[in-house]
């Protein structure tokens, strides 16, 4: 049985690094004037980093102490500090490292051939910083596709691309995509792209790799088709040739028939001309699992737009599309509504009898009632139309004969920390109302301007994104607890007044209720002159009562400017994530 003491070994080697005893290499990272030096040992590099050891062997002795110098001007000191501690201590602390630096660390780890670290960093980024990866998707995808060492990150990107193919296929860099990356996408059964479009992009990419090909296809000779065939030999087997329309076969496939094997082209023609005859020599790949609407009137794009408006819960748009669809089912209806007679309205009413009960008639604006509903009043029951007019003309009178459907969930906040209910409660506090807002009537838009897991947790990130912005809401998820704390700052933080207080009577800090916390805690400012502090060393700072001390550490220090504590104790506490929103009044509320 072996007794292992790896932790002590790791700590001892870190001490060796920090002390620099008997070093024989100096590694200079970064560029002057911010260049930093690291004193290291060739023996350690020999076994822990052959990449740098090879550079040590190639380097020259530049002084009497026989110390060799390795220069790495393109690597930041922050990133190299993590790398060198990994080399010596076999540990990586990412607690206070921003997302962008973690990605840079991954790039350097790959350059230094640290396979284990490369594998772990990919998983860490995907699990802990997915929002940042999506925000910087194009950079991430093209970087990861340049090497076979980033399979995990490539799969993460491919899973996004198959759902949103235009991210890559319509990008300016599509034609420079490595062949392996293109193949990894088009071979997916769940690529959400019509097969004719897949073919178009593959042909476009293949031609772009061969600048010598004539611009006009009519000018191509046999040699040109052979060049394209050779270029696309890894791509062509993944096209679903038997999932095209007849029209696209003739317009798109047939002109390039010389790049396909003769038996395959023969089978394609047989399949579309005489579909009852069996195909024996070619493999018929399954159709891609894509969204497809069966309609002779609207396209996938139209259906997606309809879904968008319904998802946005704009009732007037729902009505527009329902009316549009109903009219499209009846070609005999006059084009001009002024020409309609009673019979025409009855036809539309019969067509829409299953749709009309699901419209939220009492969620329209007054203007839309008159412009959109009233012209089609004859397709509604008389009592319903009467109640609609009563509701908008005399809203205090009760509605008894019609069912008022609940409003659609209009308000939606983009947050991984707080819900619509939380945001509505915060709005209620901001406006100091006596009666709480309903979720659907939240008067504010919550615009996300910073998320730690996406943008980084450092103080510089906070000041870059939040400086001099007003009406700010900060929320933080306490680490490993079902607890959310935050604050509202109406005047914002201002770098022109560093190390000074800003005065306001309207700020507050809070703790939000959830499944485990029965009641929210609201603590309003009581000393307006100590409400907000502009501290260059910290992030958001509500006086000395509640502030972000370090990248993932918040602090409740004392009761100086606010009414009461928002947590049980005065202490520092770590967070999982935090978000900063700028709020503005919503329109049409």
């Amino acid at each position: 049985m072996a007794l292992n003491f790896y932790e002590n070994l790791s700590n001892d080697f870190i001490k060796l690094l920090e002390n620099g005893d008997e070093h024989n290499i100096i590694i200079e990272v970064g560029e002057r004037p911010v260049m930093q030096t690291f004193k290291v040992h060739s023996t350690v590099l020999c076994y822990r980093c052959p990449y740098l050891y090879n550079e040590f062997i190639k380097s020259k002795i530049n002084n009497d102490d026989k110390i060799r110098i390795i220069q790495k001007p393109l690597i930041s000191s922050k990133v190299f500090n993590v790398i060198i501690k990994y080399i010596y201590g076999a540990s990586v602390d990412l607690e206070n490292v921003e997302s962008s630096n973690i990605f840079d660390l991954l790039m350097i780890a790959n350059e230094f051939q640290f396979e284990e670290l490369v594998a772990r960093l990919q998983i860490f980024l995907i699990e802990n910083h997915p929002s940042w990866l999506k925000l910087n998707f194009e950079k991430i995808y093209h970087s990861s596709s340049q090497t076979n060492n980033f399979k995990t990150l490539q799969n993460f990107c491919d899973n996004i691309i198959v759902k949103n193919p235009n991210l890559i296929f319509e990008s300016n860099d599509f034609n420079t995509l490595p062949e392996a990356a293109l193949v990894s996408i088009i071979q997916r059964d769940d690529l959400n792209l019509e097969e004719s479009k897949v073919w178009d992009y593959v042909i476009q990419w293949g031609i772009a790799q061969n600048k010598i090909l004539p611009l006009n296809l009519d000018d191509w000779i046999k040699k040109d088709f052979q060049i394209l065939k050779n270029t696309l030999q890894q791509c062509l087997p993944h096209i679903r040739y038997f999932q095209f329309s007849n029209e696209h076969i003739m317009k798109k496939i047939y002109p390039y028939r010389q790049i396909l094997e003769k038996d395959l082209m023969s089978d394609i023609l047989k399949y579309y001309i005489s579909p009852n005859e069996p195909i024996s020599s070619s493999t018929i790949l399954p159709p891609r699992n894509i969204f497809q609407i069966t309609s002779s009137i609207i396209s996938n794009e139209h259906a997606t737009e309809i879904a968008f408006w319904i998802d946005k819960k704009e009732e007037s748009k729902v009505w527009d599309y329902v009316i549009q669809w109903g009219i499209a089912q009846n070609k005999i209806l006059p084009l001009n509504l002024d020409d309609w007679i009673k019979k025409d309205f009855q036809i539309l009413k019969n067509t829409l009898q299953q749709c009309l009960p699901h419209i939220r008639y009492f969620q329209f604006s007054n203007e839309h009632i008159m412009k959109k509903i009233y012209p089609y009043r004859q397709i509604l029951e008389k009592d319903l139309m009467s109640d609609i007019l009563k509701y908008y003309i005399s809203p205090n009178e009760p509605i008894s004969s019609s069912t008022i459907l609940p409003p659609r969930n209009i308000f939606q906040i983009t947050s991984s920390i707080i819900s619509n209910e939380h945001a509505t409660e915060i709005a209620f506090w901001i406006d100091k109302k006596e009666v709480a807002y309903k979720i659907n009537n939240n008067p504010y838009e919550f615009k996300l301007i910073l998320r730690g897991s996406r943008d980084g947790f450092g103080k510089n990130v906070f000041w870059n994104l939040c400086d001099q912005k007003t009406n700010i809401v900060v929320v933080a998820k306490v680490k490993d607890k079902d607890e959310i704390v935050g604050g509202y700052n109406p005047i914002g933080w201002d770098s022109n007044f560093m190390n000074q207080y800003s005065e306001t009577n309207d700020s507050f800090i809070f703790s939000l209720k959830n499944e485990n916390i029965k009641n929210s805690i609201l603590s309003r400012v009581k000393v307006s002159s100590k409400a907000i502090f502009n501290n260059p060393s910290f992030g958001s700072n509500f006086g000395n009562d509640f502030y972000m001390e370090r990248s993932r550490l918040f602090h409740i220090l004392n009761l100086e400017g606010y009414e009461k504590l928002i947590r049980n104790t005065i202490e520092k506490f770590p967070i999982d994530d935090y978000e900063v929103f700028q709020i503005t009044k919503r329109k049409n509320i």
Side-chain angles (χ1 to χ4, degrees), residues 7 32 41 61 119 140 217 230 309 327 394 458 470 495:
E7 185 175 351
R32 300 180 188 278
H41 309 80
I61 297 174
I140 303 302
L217 189 63
N230 293 341
W309 286 114
I327 292 173
S394 184
T470 58
S495 60

Side-chain angles (χ1 to χ4, degrees), residues 51 74-76 79-80 83 103-114 117-118 150:
Y51 175 88
L74 300 182
I75 302 178
S76 73
V79 170
F80 193 77
I83 285 286
F103 184 74
D104 292 341
L105 177 62
L106 173 62
M107 295 296 108
I108 300 304
N110 184 59
E111 180 184 345
F112 286 8
Q113 300 168 14
F114 294 140
L117 183 57
V118 166
F150 293 163

Side-chain angles (χ1 to χ4, degrees), residues 27-60:
I27 299 180
E28 298 176 347
V29 299
E31 294 183 306
R32 300 180 188 278
V34 293
M35 184 184 72
Q36 185 172 344
T37 60
F38 294 82
K39 299 176 180 179
V40 298
H41 309 80
S42 60
T43 304
V44 175
L45 295 187
C46 178
Y47 293 96
R48 291 287 295 160
C49 186
Y51 175 88
L52 286 178
Y53 183 73
N54 287 336
E55 294 206 4
F56 157 73
I57 294 174
K58 297 175 186 176
S59 62
K60 296 180 180 179

Side-chain angles (χ1 to χ4, degrees), residues 291-355:
F291 170 76
Q292 186 66 43
I293 185 169
T294 303
S295 173
S296 60
I297 299 171
I298 62 175
S299 64
N300 287 358
E301 289 75 15
H302 292 141
T304 302
E305 186 176 9
I306 293 171
F308 168 79
W309 286 114
I310 292 175
D311 185 57
K312 286 294 184 182
K313 313 301 189 292
E314 294 187 17
E315 203 62 34
S316 64
K317 284 294 182 181
V318 176
W319 174 263
D320 289 343
Y321 284 120
V322 167
I323 294 296
Q324 174 188 329
W325 180 85
I327 292 173
Q329 312 311 305
N330 300 283
K331 304 298 185 183
I332 61 172
L333 294 175
L335 296 177
N336 191 337
L337 187 63
D338 292 335
D339 298 330
W340 283 32
I341 59 177
K342 186 176 181 179
K343 180 190 69 175
D344 299 317
F345 287 102
Q346 188 61 49
I347 290 172
L348 183 60
K349 181 178 181 178
N350 294 341
T351 300
L352 298 178
Q353 59 181 321
Q354 301 300 320
C355 298

Side-chain angles (χ1 to χ4, degrees), residues 153-201:
L153 205 53
Q154 288 170 13
N155 288 336
F156 173 83
C157 292
D158 284 351
N159 287 333
I160 295 175
I161 292 171
V162 294
K163 296 180 179 65
N164 306 279
N166 286 349
L167 284 174
I168 288 301
F169 290 110
E170 293 296 331
S171 73
N172 294 330
D173 297 325
F174 169 67
N175 290 336
T176 64
L177 199 65
E179 180 186 46
L182 178 60
V183 171
S184 72
I185 298 170
I186 66 170
Q187 68 183 2
R188 295 278 295 257
D189 291 336
D190 54 348
L191 176 59
N192 192 29
L193 197 63
E194 293 180 3
E195 205 60 36
S196 63
K197 286 287 187 182
V198 178
W199 174 263
D200 289 341
Y201 287 123

Side-chain angles (χ1 to χ4, degrees), residues 6 9-18 20-21 23-25 27 38-45 48 82-91 114:
Y6 295 135
L9 177 64
S10 175
N11 291 336
D12 289 341
F13 268 88
I14 290 295
K15 290 178 183 177
L16 175 66
L17 170 66
E18 292 173 346
D21 295 338
H23 71 281
N24 61 339
I25 306 174
I27 299 180
F38 294 82
K39 299 176 180 179
V40 298
H41 309 80
S42 60
T43 304
V44 175
L45 295 187
R48 291 287 295 160
V82 178
I83 285 286
I84 201 66
K85 287 182 179 178
Y86 167 75
I87 292 173
Y88 274 76
S91 65
F114 294 140

